[in-house]
Each structure stands twice: as structure tokens, then as C-alpha cells.
């Protein structure tokens, strides 16, 4: 008989989240929030790192990206559109403190959350993505 560890989360079918954020503190805070909620998180500090992760792993289930990332070859909107095109099965969540997206910034089906966001909003949105993908 196998027992789950006492701190195990009730849902083990949550997707791997690729978290793309150039601000180290915000990256750490978001990653901690998601891990505490039961998600596995892979961190990337800019879009080019994120693409390398996507090209080398087939278990990423959700992309969460910031918009304004000075390092790398593209911003979060461009990354979101590229991921939606190349990996159409991966839902995309875009976050930004720089205003709201314009009409052609986001790919179809993507969600936007303005910064600063409540951790509970982030977790709830990503869990909704997980249910939709199941």
C-alpha cells in the first residue's frame, strides 16, 4: 500500500507551467505561488530561453509570459503568438503592468492578467486552463 506524503496536493494532473519573467523577484514570487498550488514550474528569464525549453521538453502544458522583456529577441506578445502558432495545444497567459493588449497583440484563446495580480487570480486562471485542456 502506497501513501501520499502529508503535504501532497489533491490534484496531481496540473500542467507544467513555463513561466517567462525577466524580473527575478517577480519570477521567484510567481513560481513560489504556482508550486505552492501544486503546479510544476519551469522558469525562463526571456523569450529565447522559453523557446529553448519548448524545443527540448514535451511536457509543458501552459505558457505564462510577461510582456516587457528587454533581453531576448522578442517581447511577450510576440512569444505568445509564436507559441500559439508552433504549439497550438499550449494555452497562453500574458501578464503585464504596462497596460492592456491591443487588438492584434494576443493570439486567439490567450488570456491577459494585468500586474499587479492577486496570487489567487493567477492560480484560478491556470487551473481553468488545466480543466480546459483536459
Amino acid at each position: 500500500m502506497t501513501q501520499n506524503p502529508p503535504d501532497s496536493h489533491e490534484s496531481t494532473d496540473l500542467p507544467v507551467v513555463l513561466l517567462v519573467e525577466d524580473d527575478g523577484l517577480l519570477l521567484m514570487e510567481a513560481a513560489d505561488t504556482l508550486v505552492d498550488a501544486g503546479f510544476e514550474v519551469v522558469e525562463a528569464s526571456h523569450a529565447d530561453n522559453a523557446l529553448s525549453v519548448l524545443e527540448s521538453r514535451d511536457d509543458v502544458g501552459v505558457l505564462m509570459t510577461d510582456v516587457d522583456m528587454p533581453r531576448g529577441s522578442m517581447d511577450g506578445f510576440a512569444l505568445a503568438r509564436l507559441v500559439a502558432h508552433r504549439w497550438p495545444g499550449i494555452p497562453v497567459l500574458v501578464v503585464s503592468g504596462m497596460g492592456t493588449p491591443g487588438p492584434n497583440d494576443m493570439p486567439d484563446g490567450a488570456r491577459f492578467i494585468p500586474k499587479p495580480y492577486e496570487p489567487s487570480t493567477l492560480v484560478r486562471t491556470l487551473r481553468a486552463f488545466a480543466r480546459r485542456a483536459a
Side-chain angles (χ1 to χ4, degrees), residues 18-125:
L18 175 54
L19 176 57
V20 190
E21 171 63 67
D22 66 318
D23 181 306
L25 184 59
L26 294 177
L27 178 68
M28 186 174 62
E29 288 176 353
D32 286 349
T33 295
L34 295 176
V35 167
D36 287 348
F39 291 92
E40 179 181 339
V41 177
V42 179
E43 300 177 7
S45 60
H46 56 75
D48 298 330
N49 290 147
L51 291 174
S52 295
V53 168
L54 288 166
E55 289 165 353
S56 66
R57 294 181 63 142
D58 62 359
D59 62 343
V60 172
V62 175
L63 170 71
M64 176 182 163
T65 183
D66 184 28
V67 172
D68 186 31
M69 296 181 290
R71 294 182 21 234
S73 62
M74 65 186 86
D75 68 11
F77 288 136
L79 175 63
R81 292 189 301 268
L82 180 60
V83 168
H85 177 74
R86 284 185 61 187
W87 294 277
I90 298 178
V92 175
L93 173 63
V94 177
V95 298
S96 178
M98 308 298 277
T100 57
N104 298 314
D105 287 337
M106 306 257 294
D108 289 341
R111 291 280 314 268
F112 177 80
I113 297 177
K115 287 182 182 176
Y117 49 76
E118 288 292 325
S120 60
T121 300
L122 178 61
V123 169
R124 192 170 48 252
T125 301

